[in-house]
Amino acid sequence: MTVQQQIEEYIASQPEPKRTDLQTLHQLTLHITPTGKLWFFDGKNSDGKIVSNPNIGHGSYTIKYADGSTKESFIIGLSANTTGISVYILGLADKTYLSATFGKQLGKASVTGYCIKFKTLKDIHLDTLESAIRYGLAAHK
């Protein structure tokens, strides 16, 4: 199965309104970065154990660990969770930037150093979320 097929299957498996919201966010991110790498992480480690919720990934950057090792990862992650949707913006140097810059303008969302979590898209300002996604992608250019 291709990454695109895995993404489509994952989105289709979600109940409404999560399904439509995830599809909207996926399409928005594709529009912002049409040539960016697509990822699908099923949430399982190499032993098949579930370690996180599945993620749709957009873009690519290299994580550098303290021991000098590296790993390629997505920049923007979209994931359904038990209460709604999480948008991950990974690899930002300043862990306070998302909250300080976008937190108050997003609407009903919680914002951490790399995650924006909300119940449904109708609860947030999509244009502000788009600005945060654009910022995250631009930070890796």
Side-chain angles (χ1 to χ4, degrees):
M1 190 179 309
T2 67
V3 170
Q4 185 59 42
Q5 289 169 324
Q6 289 175 305
I7 291 169
E8 289 170 9
E9 188 175 278
Y10 173 62
I11 291 172
S13 74
Q14 300 303 311
E16 287 295 352
K18 241 181 250 190
R19 178 183 319 131
T20 298
D21 287 354
L22 271 176
Q23 184 65 41
T24 299
L25 290 171
H26 177 56
Q27 291 302 317
L28 172 70
T29 309
L30 284 173
H31 176 75
I32 294 169
T33 179
T35 59
K37 183 174 180 174
L38 279 180
W39 304 69
F40 183 74
F41 175 61
D42 64 6
K44 298 176 184 171
N45 67 12
S46 58
D47 297 325
K49 181 180 176 188
I50 296 175
V51 294
S52 75
N53 290 324
N55 270 276
I56 300 167
H58 291 265
S60 178
Y61 83 107
T62 302
I63 300 170
K64 295 179 178 126
Y65 295 101
D67 67 1
S69 63
T70 61
K71 175 183 166 187
E72 186 182 16
S73 182
F74 54 83
I75 300 169
I76 306 299
L78 309 173
S79 181
N81 59 54
T82 56
T83 59
I85 295 174
S86 295
V87 176
Y88 299 99
I89 303 177
L90 304 179
L92 299 177
D94 181 351
K95 300 299 180 204
T96 64
Y97 188 84
L98 284 181
S99 182
T101 306
F102 304 105
K104 289 182 180 165
Q105 294 82 26
L106 270 165
K108 292 182 188 176
S110 65
V111 184
T112 66
Y114 64 92
C115 180
I116 299 169
K117 191 185 320 186
F118 49 91
K119 187 171 180 170
T120 67
L121 281 180
K122 67 181 175 123
D123 292 336
I124 65 162
H125 299 285
L126 189 56
D127 57 337
T128 303
L129 180 60
E130 179 179 350
S131 294
I133 290 170
R134 287 183 182 277
Y135 172 79
L137 290 164
H140 292 285
K141 290 188 178 187

